[in-house]
Amino acid sequence: MTYDFAPLFRTAIGFDRLARLVDNAAQTASGPSYPPYNIERLGDDSYLLTMAVAGFGSDDIELTVQDNTLIVAGRVGHIPPAGEILHRGIATRAFERRFVLADHILVEGADLTNGLLKITVKRFIPEAMKPRRIAVTSGAPLPAPADAAQVAAPVGPAANDGAGVAGQTEHAA
């Protein structure tokens, strides 16, 4: 089943990221399932992504964050077998997994132990986005806005009285 979001995007501006998210979700649903992974919530603002990557070393795995997307790629160089392989059940094929990250999500680190790659992810809220309390006063004058000096300066023809730097008069050459 496919959805056509074209009517929505004809009347919306700045929702390009939403369109990419929908496209990525559609591709991921039909994408490969290797390697298997878990996503756990450890707390309100922390997550753990665990991937089963048996046969890969820390030098074989590359983590990249680009455009709010975590890309986990694994590539193992060809290792000649010590003997004749009768059955190959451990997959060491190259892979690339993409995870879309929400705004203000930071990948803190990764650890590979016993064939499990654990990636810690945390949500951080910038100070400007955190709620802040505004004090309510009674009868006190409101503070002047920070731009008051710029607003008080004359604008337009009155601002240019012909005086140059340090009161010098400009002359046309």
Side-chain angles (χ1 to χ4, degrees), residues 1 22 115 139 157:
M1 174 184 254
V22 171

Side-chain angles (χ1 to χ4, degrees), residues 14 23 37-38 40 47 60 63 65 69-70 72 75 87 92 97 105 117 121 125 128-129 134 148 150 152 158 168-169:
D23 288 342
Y37 64 91
N38 293 337
E40 301 172 59
Y47 302 88
D60 301 328
L63 295 165
V65 177
T69 302
L70 169 63
V72 182
R75 289 168 187 71
H87 171 75
T92 55
R97 279 283 205 179
I105 294 289
L117 175 64
V121 181
I125 301 173
M129 306 256 333
I134 308 298
Q150 294 176 354
Q168 298 173 356
T169 307

Side-chain angles (χ1 to χ4, degrees), residues 61-78:
I61 296 176
E62 180 178 308
L63 295 165
T64 309
V65 177
Q66 177 182 359
D67 295 331
N68 285 8
T69 302
L70 169 63
I71 304 166
V72 182
R75 289 168 187 71
V76 175
H78 178 70

Side-chain angles (χ1 to χ4, degrees), residues 7-83:
L8 171 68
F9 295 122
R10 275 186 285 214
T11 59
I13 298 171
F15 288 90
D16 301 337
R17 186 165 167 244
L18 177 63
R20 282 196 316 264
L21 181 64
V22 171
D23 288 342
N24 286 344
Q27 291 172 0
T28 303
S30 62
S33 61
Y34 176 77
Y37 64 91
N38 293 337
I39 300 175
E40 301 172 59
R41 175 180 277 170
L42 302 177
D44 289 340
D45 294 328
S46 59
Y47 302 88
L48 180 66
L49 169 63
T50 305
M51 299 181 74
V53 290
F56 289 85
S58 59
D59 294 338
D60 301 328
I61 296 176
E62 180 178 308
L63 295 165
T64 309
V65 177
Q66 177 182 359
D67 295 331
N68 285 8
T69 302
L70 169 63
I71 304 166
V72 182
R75 289 168 187 71
V76 175
H78 178 70
I79 301 171

Side-chain angles (χ1 to χ4, degrees), residues 48-167:
L48 180 66
L49 169 63
T50 305
M51 299 181 74
V53 290
F56 289 85
S58 59
D59 294 338
D60 301 328
I61 296 176
E62 180 178 308
L63 295 165
T64 309
V65 177
Q66 177 182 359
D67 295 331
N68 285 8
T69 302
L70 169 63
I71 304 166
V72 182
R75 289 168 187 71
V76 175
H78 178 70
I79 301 171
E84 179 183 358
I85 295 182
L86 302 176
H87 171 75
R88 183 177 303 271
I90 300 173
T92 55
R93 64 182 179 262
F95 69 88
E96 183 176 285
R97 279 283 205 179
R98 294 175 177 261
F99 300 91
V100 178
L101 303 174
D103 290 335
H104 311 298
I105 294 289
L106 177 68
V107 177
E108 290 189 315
D111 178 60
L112 180 62
T113 305
N114 297 330
L116 295 176
L117 175 64
K118 295 186 178 203
I119 304 169
T120 54
V121 181
K122 187 168 186 159
R123 178 190 332 251
F124 72 95
I125 301 173
E127 286 297 321
M129 306 256 333
K130 289 182 180 176
R132 58 187 175 100
R133 181 162 275 226
I134 308 298
V136 177
T137 60
S138 177
L142 292 176
D147 299 50
Q150 294 176 354
V151 174
V155 179
N160 187 5
D161 60 359
V165 176

